[in-house]
Amino acid sequence: MSSYHDVVRIRRHDHVAELVLDRPQAMNAVSTAMARALAAACADLAADRGTRTVVLTSTHERAFCVGADLKERNSLTDADLHRQRPVARAAYTAVLDLPVPTIAAVHGYALGGGFELALACDLIVADPTAVVGLPEVSVGVIPGGGGTQLLPRRVGAARAAELIFSARRVAAEEAHALGLVDRLTAEGEDRTEALDLAARIAGNSPVGLRAAKRALRLGHGLDLRAGLEVEDAAWRTVAFSGDRAEGVAAFNEKRAPQWPGE
């Protein structure tokens, strides 16, 4: 297990990397140090060709992440906050830019920046204790970790506006119904189910997974013809790869593929 300032850890499960939020004394509130740790951990994961899927989890029993560390924020001058902004932004961007499929395993509170970390992932698995929301306007700011852009891409502009303007918290069942989370598990099973899903995903071509994610991300919001050009460019990166040759051979030979990852 790798640790980053003892607030973020990486656990390895074969080709699945578990990125663990581990600042339980603060319910994983994102301090400046934790933001730096997240960015560093994600940089290592992005560079690791053996990682095919990432699962974002929490060690706290009652929270995934409660957002920005407001106690720390209260001690910052305006100049301090100005200097901290690029550090905080880099942490959320690092999760968003991971080149492999990402899954957030959410239980308890995922609020503000905590929910934005989950939104930066491709999929969100939650248990019935999950409570999500972007309450930033209630403390005089706005979602600044991608929430104003990622939430409408999930649930549409009007639904996102209602949730952000009202600052309301949404319990698990409604969150699932609204599409704020993708899968509900039994209580306490969010991490297990997310890791199981990640393992199934990781059994597929690593070249294919990265290219599919790239096409999904880059094509979103483009008109259809432009999106199809993005897809074609991604297809060309895999069509002549070793993974494609191995996948076709394994299918015809009725065996499990042994992906070269290139």
Side-chain angles (χ1 to χ4, degrees), residues 5 28 35 39 68 87 89 92 104 119 151-152 167 176 194 247 255:
H5 305 289
N28 292 327
V87 177
R89 188 176 180 188
Y92 296 100
L119 289 171
L151 189 59
H176 185 235
R255 60 174 175 82

Side-chain angles (χ1 to χ4, degrees), residues 5-161:
H5 305 289
D6 295 324
V7 291
V8 174
R9 303 180 185 276
I10 293 176
R11 297 184 181 130
R12 302 284 179 176
H13 310 272
D14 198 8
H15 292 294
V16 175
E18 183 182 359
L19 181 58
V20 186
L21 306 177
D22 190 20
R23 195 181 174 222
Q25 72 278 13
M27 300 180 83
N28 292 327
V30 182
S31 63
T32 304
M34 189 170 184
R36 288 197 176 98
L38 266 172
C42 287
D44 286 349
L45 291 172
D48 178 14
R49 299 296 296 187
T51 296
R52 299 181 187 172
T53 324
V54 173
V55 179
L56 185 58
T57 68
S58 161
T59 60
H60 198 285
E61 293 181 356
R62 294 187 294 109
F64 174 74
C65 172
V66 293
D69 188 336
L70 295 184
K71 289 184 179 178
E72 180 189 63
R73 287 278 180 92
N74 194 49
S75 70
L76 300 180
T77 65
D78 286 353
D80 291 334
L81 186 59
H82 184 76
R83 284 189 293 270
Q84 190 220 34
R85 173 60 178 164
V87 177
R89 188 176 180 188
Y92 296 100
T93 301
V95 176
L96 184 65
D97 286 349
L98 282 167
V100 298
T102 51
I103 304 168
V106 174
H107 59 265
Y109 297 112
L111 300 172
F115 188 39
E116 287 173 306
L117 287 175
L119 289 171
C121 295
D122 298 301
L123 298 167
I124 303 174
V125 173
D127 88 348
T129 69
V131 178
V132 305
L134 297 175
E136 283 88 347
V137 297
S138 70
V139 293
V141 291
I142 70 166
T148 65
Q149 305 305 304
L150 294 169
L151 189 59
R153 282 167 167 77
R154 260 191 170 266
V155 299
R159 182 81 70 192

Side-chain angles (χ1 to χ4, degrees), residues 126-128 184-190 193:
D127 88 348
L184 275 186
T185 73
E187 186 169 342
E189 293 298 314
D190 53 292
E193 185 154 337

